[in-house]
Amino acid sequence: MKYIVYVSQAYRPMSADELSSLLKHSRGRNLDDEISGLLIYRFNRDYGRGNFVQVLEGPTSKIDDVWQRISSDPRHHTIVMVEECPIEQRMFKDWSMGFKNVTAADLEGIAGFSDLGSDQFWKEVSPTSAAGALELLRSFYDAGCHYSDIA
């Protein structure tokens, strides 16, 4: 198994409906491919753009396949692989994809939604050799938590 962490910029601001659709599709595909992970979308009002950061983990061949799809996805550009490492155990073993941007009230009806702002989220994440990836995700979230509204 391995994990990857990447960042990218959305071609345009994404609506809550678009993000919800992306999340539902990704969760279904990730379950089929035995991939777990976390996607964060942050809309920065100061710059008028949205950015993604994502960590994905799973079987090496499946991660390689999903990376090819991500790299050619027309919804984002300036896609940068931040980290890629082999792992022995998952950080996000119990869910196909965590997500953060819209409020918990907007997504609470979607199974598997986790609030990154809660202490419970960070207690449920399994510490592994990928602790650096978790710190990157937390710092990205902490920096953007006051931009939680989607344009």
Side-chain angles (χ1 to χ4, degrees), residues 12-28:
R12 59 177 181 71
M14 296 188 73
S15 70
D17 288 342
E18 290 171 315
L19 291 168
S20 181
S21 177
L22 171 66
L23 183 60
K24 286 179 186 178
H25 174 80
S26 297
R27 281 197 174 134

Side-chain angles (χ1 to χ4, degrees), residues 5-149:
V5 179
Y6 75 89
V7 295
S8 66
Q9 183 175 329
Y11 266 110
R12 59 177 181 71
M14 296 188 73
S15 70
D17 288 342
E18 290 171 315
L19 291 168
S20 181
S21 177
L22 171 66
L23 183 60
K24 286 179 186 178
H25 174 80
S26 297
R27 281 197 174 134
R29 188 128 194 200
N30 287 355
L31 283 172
D32 291 343
D33 290 341
E34 300 176 9
I35 292 173
S36 51
L38 173 65
L39 174 66
I40 300 172
Y41 173 79
R42 175 183 173 218
F43 178 74
N44 185 319
R45 289 185 184 150
D46 292 339
Y47 297 103
R49 68 176 184 224
N51 293 94
F52 293 99
V53 62
Q54 185 169 32
V55 61
L56 293 167
E57 59 190 6
T60 298
S61 64
K62 298 292 187 176
I63 293 296
D64 292 342
D65 290 344
V66 77
W67 177 245
Q68 291 303 312
R69 290 192 306 271
I70 288 167
S71 297
S72 61
D73 189 319
R75 292 173 286 200
H76 62 160
H77 63 93
T78 316
I79 305 162
V80 178
M81 175 84 70
V82 175
E83 192 167 52
E84 177 179 19
C85 291
I87 56 172
E88 292 185 21
Q89 66 178 350
R90 294 174 186 267
M91 293 178 282
F92 310 107
K93 63 182 179 174
D94 294 328
W95 29 282
S96 60
M97 177 151 354
F99 175 76
K100 172 61 183 164
N101 185 43
V102 294
T103 66
D106 293 332
L107 294 176
E108 66 187 13
I110 298 175
F113 173 69
S114 297
D115 179 7
L116 273 82
S118 72
D119 290 334
Q120 187 62 34
F121 170 85
W122 294 102
K123 288 178 186 174
E124 291 176 7
V125 175
S126 302
T128 69
S129 60
L134 287 175
E135 287 306 311
L136 174 68
L137 293 170
R138 181 139 198 178
S139 65
F140 187 89
Y141 171 77
D142 288 344
C145 66
H146 59 281
Y147 292 108
S148 63
D149 295 330

